Amino acid sequence: MNFLAHIYLSGDDDPLLTIGNCIGDTVRGNQYKEYPEALQRGILLHRRIDTFTDAHPVFRQSKRRLVPRFNHYAGVIVDIFYDYLLAKHFGEYSPISLHDFALRFYTSVQQNCQLLQPEAQHLLHYMLRDNWLERYATVEGITRTFHQMDARTDFKSGMQHAPEVLFAEEEAFEAEFRVFFEEVRGGVKLK
């Protein structure tokens, strides 16, 4: 899962847990112990979600469809495809709009940014500046995301072409996403 799903799966009760879940990929090994307790719980939740996702047969099915063209980048691409589909259908999963959901998260980041390590601050700066959470909901936004990611690999990954595959096979990815997302919502509990 990518940023939107991680934030969504954090629930509504604890902004620090949500931020920790969002920044989980920036924290290595036991570095999470350097954070306040609520951020630690969020980072550990991030890891549980990633473990659940990587082992899930439906996620793996989506990923297999991409491996021939994108090799080891297939999992990252599926993460973003699934965030696109969550954003596209956000009203089915949340009583608040994607805009309000994103704004609430961005506000909590601004209020708590001083608690974060520089790498997490850097990531969240760009997320807020470019409004990544709402950007996932549009064709233009997801295309831009993949182009930027491809540029970071010196265009070796071919990720700039990922939207072509998504839109050509959107029904299949959407069916897989719906099954997977229902299961991840029930399978990964907050602790």
Side-chain angles (χ1 to χ4, degrees):
M1 305 304 305
N2 208 40
F3 298 111
L4 180 59
H6 275 285
I7 294 165
Y8 173 86
L9 291 168
S10 298
D12 298 330
D13 297 332
D14 190 336
L16 288 180
L17 181 141
T18 302
I19 293 168
N21 192 356
C22 178
I23 66 164
D25 284 334
T26 69
V27 181
R28 306 288 175 247
N30 287 333
Q31 286 178 337
Y32 75 93
K33 293 179 180 179
E34 298 170 14
Y35 283 102
E37 190 268 337
L39 282 164
Q40 289 182 31
R41 287 186 299 116
I43 293 163
L44 294 175
L45 175 60
H46 181 102
R47 292 175 182 178
R48 284 195 308 276
I49 291 168
D50 282 357
T51 298
F52 182 92
T53 299
D54 291 343
H56 197 282
V58 175
F59 180 85
R60 294 175 96 156
Q61 180 178 328
S62 290
K63 186 177 164 181
R64 272 192 304 275
R65 188 179 301 111
L66 298 172
V67 167
R69 185 161 180 188
F70 299 104
N71 200 358
H72 64 272
Y73 296 102
V76 173
I77 293 169
V78 175
D79 284 344
I80 295 169
F81 280 5
Y82 281 13
D83 260 16
Y84 163 76
L85 293 164
L86 175 57
K88 179 179 175 183
H89 300 290
F90 200 76
E92 296 176 32
Y93 298 102
S94 176
I96 65 171
S97 69
L98 178 59
H99 174 76
D100 290 344
F101 180 85
L103 186 60
R104 182 176 66 197
F105 176 71
Y106 296 157
T107 299
S108 69
V109 166
Q110 291 168 332
Q111 293 169 345
N112 295 288
C113 199
Q114 76 284 356
L115 299 173
L116 305 176
Q117 300 293 335
E119 186 177 356
Q121 289 179 2
H122 181 77
L123 167 81
L124 292 170
H125 165 78
Y126 287 103
M127 179 184 287
L128 273 66
R129 186 193 76 183
D130 296 336
N131 192 10
W132 290 359
L133 301 181
E134 287 189 87
R135 184 167 89 179
Y136 289 133
T138 67
V139 172
E140 297 81 14
I142 197 168
T143 300
R144 182 175 173 208
T145 296
F146 280 117
H147 186 80
Q148 288 174 328
M149 292 179 72
D150 201 25
R152 285 196 292 264
T153 66
D154 294 326
F155 297 97
K156 294 175 189 169
S157 68
M159 281 192 276
Q160 69 181 0
H161 302 291
E164 300 163 16
V165 177
L166 170 63
F167 301 124
E169 300 182 42
E170 189 166 353
E171 284 184 25
F173 282 112
E174 186 166 328
E176 292 162 355
F177 163 77
R178 287 182 181 280
V179 169
F180 169 78
F181 202 64
E182 284 306 312
E183 293 184 18
V184 75
R185 288 171 72 199
V188 179
K189 301 292 183 197
L190 301 175
K191 291 182 184 175

